[in-house]
Amino acid sequence: MDTARRIPRTAAGLAVVVVLVGVLTGCTNAVMMQAAPSANAAACAAAQVRLPETVDTKYALRNTTAQSTAAWGDPSAALWHCGVAVPTVSDLPCVTLGSVDWIRDDRGGQVVYTTFGRDPAVQVVIDTTKATPSVLQDLANAADTLPKDGHRCLDPSQVQN
């Protein structure tokens, strides 16, 4: 085989690969996210497989680019990060939904909920312009699988001054 034929074939093969890669990457609608420090915990994997396909009755689960993360809606209405730092004490409001305690942190157009009394912890970010706190009820089954660490929300009457 002469060199004159090899160059066009190599160029054609390279062009096919470039087009194929471009098509495959263009088809993904993965949400860019960062893994939390303890995202590789086995408990995160156990919770991850219990995440619902939809939250807030209308936002579909999407692919993400990081371990132990999830996103619903396009653009994202709710985000899930498993393996975040475990809170032990907080002056933020703490609410109990079902059997899961959550610390609530209002940040303008977003509310960040972090499981309290679970290790590893999960953080759920809700875009309040799109979704409602009922997202937490949808995620309760998954969050409830995380091991309890002995901490829990307290009623103000239970706290000594």
Side-chain angles (χ1 to χ4, degrees):
M1 182 187 263
D2 68 354
T3 313
R5 284 192 200 167
R6 234 182 299 172
I7 292 172
R9 283 186 184 171
T10 304
L14 184 59
V16 168
V17 169
V18 169
V19 168
L20 186 58
V21 168
V23 167
L24 291 176
T25 20
C27 290
T28 180
N29 75 356
V31 178
M32 299 295 292
M33 296 180 74
Q34 295 291 320
S38 297
N40 62 347
C44 284
Q48 195 77 13
V49 299
R50 290 173 174 76
L51 292 174
E53 289 296 317
T54 59
V55 295
D56 209 21
T57 70
K58 61 186 164 232
Y59 297 109
L61 183 63
R62 296 175 59 199
N63 292 324
T64 61
T65 59
Q67 182 178 359
S68 299
T69 62
W72 292 266
D74 189 6
S76 299
L79 302 172
W80 162 284
H81 285 90
C82 187
V84 299
V86 176
T88 55
V89 177
S90 177
D91 59 356
L92 293 170
C94 191
V95 297
T96 303
L97 297 172
S99 60
V100 181
D101 291 343
W102 298 92
I103 295 172
R104 177 189 168 107
D105 185 5
D106 285 305
R107 298 182 184 173
Q110 295 180 332
V111 178
V112 178
Y113 291 93
T114 306
T115 53
F116 187 68
R118 304 286 174 150
D119 189 356
V122 164
Q123 197 167 68
V124 176
V125 180
I126 299 175
D127 181 335
T128 58
T129 64
K130 297 180 184 94
T132 66
S134 70
V135 166
L136 292 180
Q137 292 171 324
D138 298 332
L139 302 176
N141 189 34
D144 195 30
T145 65
L146 298 168
K148 293 182 179 183
D149 70 3
H151 292 92
R152 62 184 177 84
C153 288
L154 298 175
D155 184 273
S157 64
Q158 296 171 302
V159 179
Q160 295 179 353
N161 293 336

